[in-house]
Amino acid sequence: MQKIQNYINGQLVSSASGEYLENVEPATGKIYSLIPESNSDDLDAAVAAAEAIQNDWAHTSLEKRADILCRLADLIDSNADALAKAEAIDNGKAISFAKAVDIYRSSANIRFFAQAGTQFSSESHAMGNLAINYTLRDPIGIVGCISPWNFPLYLFTWKIAPALASGNVVIAKPSEVTPMTAYLFSKLCIEAGLPAGVLNILHGSGQSIGGPLTTHPKIKAISFTGGSATGAHISKVTAGMFKKLSLELGGKNPTLVFADCDFEETVNEVVKAAFSNQGQICLCGSRIYIERPIYEQFKTAFIAKVKSLRIGDPLDPNTQHGATVSEAHLNKVLSYIELAQQEGGTILTGGKRHIESGRCQNGYFVEPTVVEGLDNQCRTNQEEIFGPVCSIMPFDKEQEAIQLANGTEYGLAASIWTNDLKRAHRVAKSIEAGIVWINCWLLRDLRTPFGGVKSSGVGREGGLEAMRFFTEPKNVCIKY
Ligand code: NAD
């Protein structure tokens, strides 16, 4: 059985405890590798390695840091097929999606922040003839990056790239549910010549290594992406330690379809927004509000499109809808489908576990599921399911649509589908979310601020926001 290893001080090593967690392939339900269950001893070794190189890396020239990071991005590209396959096996996502989205974005993240590091500058504030202020932006030192399972390498690189480009040394923890591509990435770091200790990757559970990582006194900033409950826990346990925190959390995102939208394009894109990556994207639009005059017509076209999604083996290049990530998650999603019916919802399509034949007969597949007839306040419409389940509801007035959209504790993303320019701007401004798409979904420019409001998080990633998060500003005032 393949044993995944930690990456500490430039070496691939076993965990100090010698304990392992089992890693399951979601499409087959079979254990196929073992994950080191790291603990505070591994963390201490990683912190010591990071501390030893901290000054060197902070003073390495911007160009040299960018060169190393670009080499790493090139290595991701040249290993894209193997990485996409590893992601499909580890996560259950369709291999074509893994290659086009996950792996493509992983190298793009690194290349983007390699360049951002060379372009980043700080402010100065002149006080007439009296004085001038300039702001230094130094790296923070040792920072922690914790990522989830839905976009394993994509979100892992999205954090570590700006941290490294701005001169920090990093201790990173990928999700124990999907550790494989972070492990393969650690091998690419060695090949790219990343100096030992600059990045350390510790595998294991949230309890065993995530907890110690967030509370370690030498780790001065934590960039976390994951569930809102975990984010709240991290806020609580780090309170009083004065760490910088960036928390990218859950979502329950609204999709607002107005009667004047481009009908066909909207149907196609709203299906993608609801079901891409088996609905396991924090940005997925799982509450779909449709203006009443087109409700029935939209519903018919939407259901037909959802039914046409090809479910199957993630390794089949024609598969569009793969497995959900784990047995626990499969059961969670199925329990919400059950709940939706108890709450008075009607299943229009889907609603069951999907059983494949052959290699994937024990896989954790769920049919893409559409529910109708639910109240906005019910749990199905309020809680994050994070699976292939969406709810459709009619609305009559623009103001009502805005209220429905804003009527949850979350505030990550929204999409608005209309050809009325004034309404598009008006609604976008009224929506409580960090990201609003108009007539598109998941169109990403890496320079833009990314993050949520309300229970969807604190802080922003992306572009300069990330470079600012990973640096400490110091104002220097000089009198003339
Ligand atoms: P999770 O919160 O269970 O785990 C995320 C990471 O935190 C994992 O690496 C996990 O091991 C670690 N962790 C768990 N407990 C910890 C603890 N006590 N201390 C420190 N670390 C701990 O989330 P998940 O199930 O992996 O991911 C799904 C969630 O992530 C969904 O809610 C989804 O919306 C959210 N998400 C948000 C974004 C975003 O950008 N806002 C992006 C992707 C996913």
Side-chain angles (χ1 to χ4, degrees):
M1 180 85 52
Q2 183 184 12
K3 282 185 175 162
I4 286 171
Q5 290 180 295
N6 284 335
Y7 172 55
I8 301 176
N9 203 18
Q11 308 283 323
L12 297 173
V13 292
S14 307
S15 66
S17 70
E19 283 174 27
Y20 287 88
L21 304 170
E22 291 172 339
N23 192 24
V24 174
E25 179 181 5
T28 62
K30 290 196 181 126
I31 299 161
Y32 83 103
S33 57
L34 296 172
I35 313 159
E37 176 68 315
S38 310
N39 61 26
S40 299
D41 293 336
D42 304 287
L43 180 60
D44 288 342
V47 169
E51 216 170 9
I53 192 79
Q54 181 178 341
N55 252 327
D56 277 7
W57 184 248
H59 295 112
T60 297
S61 73
L62 301 177
E63 292 75 15
K64 183 146 187 230
R65 289 208 293 252
D67 281 350
I68 296 172
L69 290 172
C70 285
R71 267 207 301 279
L72 205 40
D74 291 344
L75 282 168
I76 292 179
D77 287 342
S78 56
N79 288 280
D81 287 332
L83 288 166
K85 186 171 178 195
E87 209 70 292
I89 292 172
D90 212 28
N91 174 282
K93 62 178 71 202
I95 192 163
S96 55
F97 186 86
K99 185 150 186 213
V101 181
D102 292 71
I103 306 308
Y104 166 77
R105 247 304 283 279
S106 301
S107 64
N109 286 339
I110 296 187
R111 207 168 275 117
F112 174 85
F113 281 112
Q115 290 159 356
T118 65
Q119 306 296 312
F120 188 45
S121 58
S122 59
E123 312 85 51
S124 80
H125 298 87
M127 299 169 74
N129 288 330
L130 185 60
I132 184 153
N133 298 270
Y134 63 85
T135 306
L136 293 172
R137 283 198 168 264
D138 291 325
I140 294 171
I142 310 179
V143 301
C145 296
I146 301 178
S147 50
W149 50 256
N150 65 322
F151 279 120
L153 191 61
Y154 169 139
L155 288 175
F156 188 74
T157 50
W158 179 237
K159 295 187 173 303
I160 62 173
L164 294 174
S166 50
N168 298 282
V169 286
V170 178
I171 319 276
K173 189 196 108 49
S175 170
E176 68 278 26
V177 183
T178 52
M180 187 56 82
T181 47
Y183 171 56
L184 299 176
F185 179 75
S186 55
K187 294 184 179 186
L188 299 183
C189 290
I190 295 170
E191 200 178 331
L194 189 69
V198 165
L199 170 66
N200 302 275
I201 302 176
L202 301 179
H203 294 273
S205 65
Q207 201 178 10
S208 183
I209 186 62
L213 177 55
T214 50
T215 51
H216 196 290
K218 288 192 172 164
I219 299 180
K220 299 294 181 198
I222 301 288
S223 172
F224 170 82
T225 298
S228 297
T230 317
H233 174 80
I234 292 174
S235 298
K236 211 180 294 168
V237 296
T238 57
M241 299 182 87
F242 308 113
K243 290 176 193 275
K244 251 183 152 178
L245 284 188
S246 165
L247 302 173
E248 300 295 334
L249 309 177
K252 186 77 181 175
N253 310 299
T255 300
L256 304 185
V257 179
F258 288 91
D260 63 2
C261 67
D262 286 331
F263 188 82
E264 223 163 284
E265 187 187 340
T266 304
V267 170
N268 290 339
E269 294 303 308
V270 172
V271 170
K272 277 191 212 153
F275 294 109
S276 290
N277 207 36
Q278 296 70 247
Q280 302 167 135
I281 306 181
C282 55
L283 306 162
C284 272
S286 56
R287 296 182 291 136
I288 304 169
Y289 303 100
I290 304 151
E291 202 171 5
R292 202 174 302 271
I294 61 159
Y295 183 79
E296 288 301 328
Q297 187 197 356
F298 190 91
K299 174 172 121 182
T300 306
F302 183 70
I303 299 295
K305 184 82 195 167
V306 173
K307 281 188 167 159
S308 76
L309 291 173
R310 283 189 300 274
I311 311 182
D313 187 341
L315 295 181
D316 178 342
N318 294 315
T319 291
Q320 291 174 307
H321 188 91
T324 48
V325 77
S326 66
E327 188 171 17
H329 197 54
L330 166 84
N331 290 330
K332 176 185 162 185
V333 174
L334 292 176
S335 78
Y336 271 102
I337 295 175
E338 184 73 37
L339 176 71
Q341 292 167 96
Q342 286 163 14
E343 290 183 321
T346 304
I347 308 287
L348 298 178
T349 183
K352 297 189 303 298
R353 181 174 183 172
H354 166 85
I355 307 292
E356 270 286 301
S357 54
R359 185 184 101 85
C360 297
Q361 60 184 342
N362 295 317
Y364 310 137
F365 297 86
V366 180
E367 295 172 345
T369 299
V370 182
V371 190
E372 182 188 43
L374 289 171
D375 182 81
N376 208 46
Q377 291 311 310
C378 72
R379 283 182 54 206
T380 310
N381 274 334
Q382 289 291 318
E383 297 174 13
E384 187 186 40
I385 302 173
F386 211 55
V389 182
C390 71
S391 168
I392 61 169
M393 287 158 277
F395 70 87
D396 292 297
K397 294 260 171 352
E398 179 183 306
Q399 202 49 41
E400 178 196 357
I402 293 168
Q403 271 171 9
L404 290 165
N406 289 340
T408 74
E409 65 168 296
Y410 293 104
L412 187 56
S415 69
I416 302 165
W417 303 84
T418 179
N419 274 309
D420 180 335
L421 181 66
K422 283 189 179 172
R423 171 157 59 206
H425 288 300
R426 214 165 42 227
V427 177
K429 186 147 171 56
S430 307
I431 294 281
E432 295 165 356
I435 304 146
V436 177
W437 280 290
I438 297 170
N439 297 327
C440 57
W441 175 76
L442 207 62
L443 192 53
R444 293 277 294 115
D445 179 329
L446 302 189
R447 294 169 300 179
T448 59
F450 180 92
V453 299
K454 300 175 13 188
S455 297
S456 291
V458 180
R460 292 292 179 275
E461 298 186 317
L464 291 177
E465 301 281 346
M467 299 301 285
R468 290 195 182 116
F469 175 78
F470 284 115
T471 51
E472 196 67 79
K474 182 197 289 172
N475 190 69
V476 180
C477 176
I478 317 168
K479 191 167 178 295
Y480 291 126

